[in-house]
């Protein structure tokens, strides 16, 4: 099953992707996570992406599309995958079509701008393994270290309130039109992002008929 998790920044796409991919036994492919890793390691892709990510803007389509093309051709993607954070523009969705990818469902996690700003200010990330947490809704045992690997929690630079406003603008102008694109194909299923993490998982699985 090839699934797209769609929604604004902070809606919980990454958190749900982690849970659902374990349940379904398929990998999550997150362009944001790949870009953060590339930036941490100072690779050519990371260097290209840094200025855009830190400003809350989209990395050029050609860069992210190349990442996806490489990743989806790996053997662990043969039985399906969850796309988290890709596609984010119409040209990216068209590139996915051109690769011959067949999408089974687009799960749209919906959240208001106000809730997004509130959520992102309390979001934390493990600086070592990249697991994502929320100080109130998805805390670690001490809210200082990662429960999975013990790494120290950090705040993403692009969760700074000024950058968040830019990411929201970018979402509304460039990413939201994708909903109509996939709606026209009858693929969009909507889930409220304001529920608890287990409840959102339950609703997503129900929408997928699992
Ligand atoms: P995310 O972790 O999905 O919120 O992504 C973090 C940042 O990485 C975004 O704000 C963009 O700068 C960049 N990024 C991630 N995925 C994409 C994409 N599909 N297209 C363009 N930029 C992306």
């Amino acid at each position: 099953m090839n699934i797209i998790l769609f929604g604004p920044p902070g809606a919980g796409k990454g958190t749900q992707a982690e849970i659902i991919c374990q349940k379904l036994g398929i990998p999550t492919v997150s362009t944001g996570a790949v870009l953060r890793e590339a930036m941490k390691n100072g690779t050519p892709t990371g260097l290209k992406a840094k200025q855009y990510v830190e400003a809350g803007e989209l990395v050029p389509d050609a860069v992210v599309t190349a990442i996806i093309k490489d990743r989806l051709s790996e053997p662990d993607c043969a039985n399906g995958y969850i796309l988290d954070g890709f596609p984010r523009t119409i040209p990216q969705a068209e590139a996915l079509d051109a690769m011959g990818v067949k999408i089974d469902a687009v799960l749209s996690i919906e959240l208001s701008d106000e809730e997004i700003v509130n959520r992102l200010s309390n979001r934390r990330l493990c600086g070592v393994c990249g697991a994502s947490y929320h100080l109130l809704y998805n805390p670690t045992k001490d809210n200082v270290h990662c429960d999975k690997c013990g790494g120290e929690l950090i705040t993403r630079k692009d969760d700074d309130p000024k950058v968040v406003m830019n990411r929201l603008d970018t979402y509304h102008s460039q990413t939201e039109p994708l909903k109509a694109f996939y709606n026209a194909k009858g693929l969009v299923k909507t889930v409220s992002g304001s529920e608890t993490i287990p409840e959102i998982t339950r609703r997503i699985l129900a929408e997928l008929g699992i």
Side-chain angles (χ1 to χ4, degrees):
M1 206 176 215
N2 300 335
I3 301 164
I4 292 176
L5 278 187
F6 183 80
K13 299 187 297 292
T15 304
Q16 292 299 329
E18 266 180 46
I19 300 169
I20 294 165
C21 76
Q22 285 195 2
K23 283 198 194 289
L24 301 186
I26 54 177
T28 289
V29 176
S30 158
T31 39
V34 172
L35 291 169
R36 277 188 289 282
E37 188 65 19
M39 284 162 53
K40 199 162 90 181
N41 296 331
T43 67
T45 300
L47 294 175
K48 261 186 248 168
K50 193 171 161 50
Q51 53 171 315
Y52 300 101
V53 174
E54 291 186 352
E57 284 161 16
L58 293 184
V59 173
D61 289 335
V63 176
V64 282
T65 302
I67 290 174
I68 285 291
K69 201 169 184 177
D70 279 357
R71 182 66 188 88
L72 298 189
S73 66
E74 287 177 27
D76 65 329
C77 288
N79 295 324
Y81 39 79
I82 298 173
L83 290 175
D84 161 21
F86 185 95
R88 260 180 158 98
T89 64
I90 301 274
Q92 289 178 20
E94 288 169 347
L96 208 51
D97 278 350
M99 284 176 219
V101 167
K102 192 187 154 295
I103 297 298
D104 297 293
V106 176
L107 266 303
S108 174
I109 308 181
E110 316 254 317
L111 206 64
S112 71
D113 285 7
E114 203 186 341
E115 283 177 287
I116 289 162
V117 173
N118 181 21
R119 282 232 190 143
L120 292 183
S121 62
N122 286 311
R123 180 156 81 171
R124 296 293 181 273
L125 197 73
C126 172
V128 178
C129 75
S132 79
Y133 296 100
H134 187 280
L135 295 182
L136 305 174
Y137 306 132
N138 187 21
T140 70
K141 288 195 191 85
D142 61 5
N143 265 345
V144 177
H145 300 99
C146 175
D147 282 350
K148 292 192 181 123
C149 77
E152 209 160 302
L153 301 187
I154 56 168
T155 304
R156 272 171 57 168
K157 268 194 185 158
D158 59 344
D159 281 347
D160 176 277
K162 273 183 254 124
V163 181
V164 166
M165 294 321 287
N166 213 9
R167 289 168 70 201
L168 273 176
D169 282 349
T170 305
Y171 173 75
H172 290 306
S173 61
Q174 298 190 58
T175 305
E176 223 169 13
L178 276 175
K179 239 171 107 175
F181 178 94
Y182 285 115
N183 237 333
K185 297 176 190 271
L187 292 176
V188 178
K189 295 165 191 306
T190 301
V191 172
S192 162
S194 322
E195 306 298 330
T196 61
I197 293 171
E199 178 59 17
I200 298 172
T201 307
R202 195 190 65 72
R203 292 187 187 189
I204 290 177
L205 294 175
E207 287 290 353
L208 292 174
I210 294 166

